[in-house]
Amino acid sequence: MPGADLTTLLLEVFRRRAERLTPAEVMRRYRGDRFVAPAPVGFAAQCRTTEDALVSALPEGFEALVLAPVVPLAAHSAVATVDPRKVIATVRGSEVAADPTNAPALEASHRRSSALAADPRARAPVRPAAGQRVVRAQSFGGPRDLAHFQLFGLVTAGRNTGDRRRFERGHLVETWSSPPGRWPPSAHGTPRSH
């Protein structure tokens, strides 16, 4: 079945299912669905403070983006290595964001392609950064472990110099060697490359 036909069919199925649900059934689902439980209030304030600190500490050349809550279908498994069973797919051929580096990587690739179309010798890297609320479908053990949480990611995309690892190492060192004290303590995680 063609994708557009499948989407139309699934949208109709979900419309009919939603039509039959009562407010009491929606409330029952809200109380028991770990994907929709709100984060503790203190967490929200801390999250905002941390994200503000991260954005203000961005190294030169990075552009903060406001990301959509969804990405194209397979963005997590084709662009990165997130198992599709840990991602929430939608009936419209997209996925709920599960990693804050996939959408910026797609945007960086799009911008690099545009720059190369204008100038085939364009060398300037593209550096998007974003905080994003993400959702993971796998179960977490603790009572305070939520299926949704905030992550912050940085992406650098640029011209291949013939040695991929040299490009990655150079930009990783440049990004994480910003002036001492620039990154807030909560930002020190393990950098990774796609």
Side-chain angles (χ1 to χ4, degrees):
M1 175 180 294
D5 293 344
L6 178 60
T7 298
T8 301
L9 173 65
L10 290 172
L11 286 171
E12 181 60 20
V13 168
F14 280 101
R15 184 192 68 76
R16 290 181 184 187
R17 286 180 69 187
E19 222 172 48
R20 290 194 308 260
L21 293 173
T22 66
E25 290 168 321
V26 172
M27 180 54 77
R28 197 169 19 262
R29 172 94 191 266
Y30 177 79
R31 288 183 181 133
D33 188 339
R34 67 189 177 88
F35 293 111
V36 301
V41 173
F43 172 79
Q46 178 63 38
C47 184
R48 177 75 59 213
T49 301
T50 301
E51 186 172 76
D52 289 346
L54 288 166
V55 168
S56 67
L58 281 175
E60 190 173 323
F62 278 90
E63 177 189 353
L65 301 178
V66 176
L67 300 175
V70 295
V71 294
L73 185 66
H76 296 94
S77 58
V79 174
T81 59
V82 177
D83 187 311
R85 293 171 293 189
K86 295 179 181 175
V87 176
I88 299 173
T90 74
V91 296
R92 293 188 184 268
S94 57
E95 299 172 340
V96 175
D99 185 306
T101 58
N102 293 37
L106 291 168
E107 181 62 22
S109 178
H110 170 69
R111 290 180 183 191
R112 281 286 301 152
S113 294
S114 296
L116 290 171
D119 176 8
R121 300 179 66 80
R123 298 186 75 76
V126 176
R127 295 177 170 163
Q132 187 171 39
R133 194 100 192 131
V134 298
V135 180
R136 296 278 177 88
Q138 76 263 36
S139 289
F140 296 96
R144 293 186 53 85
D145 293 337
L146 299 173
H148 58 90
F149 41 91
Q150 188 80 10
L151 293 174
F152 194 86
L154 306 171
V155 172
T156 299
R159 190 171 205 53
N160 183 344
T161 58
D163 179 354
R164 189 185 89 167
R165 293 292 179 201
R166 189 173 83 195
F167 176 86
E168 291 175 354
R169 273 190 231 110
H171 285 283
L172 188 62
V173 167
E174 177 187 2
T175 300
W176 285 92
S177 296
S178 59
R182 186 172 187 170
W183 291 108
S186 61
H188 294 289
T190 304
R192 64 185 173 89
S193 62
H194 281 299

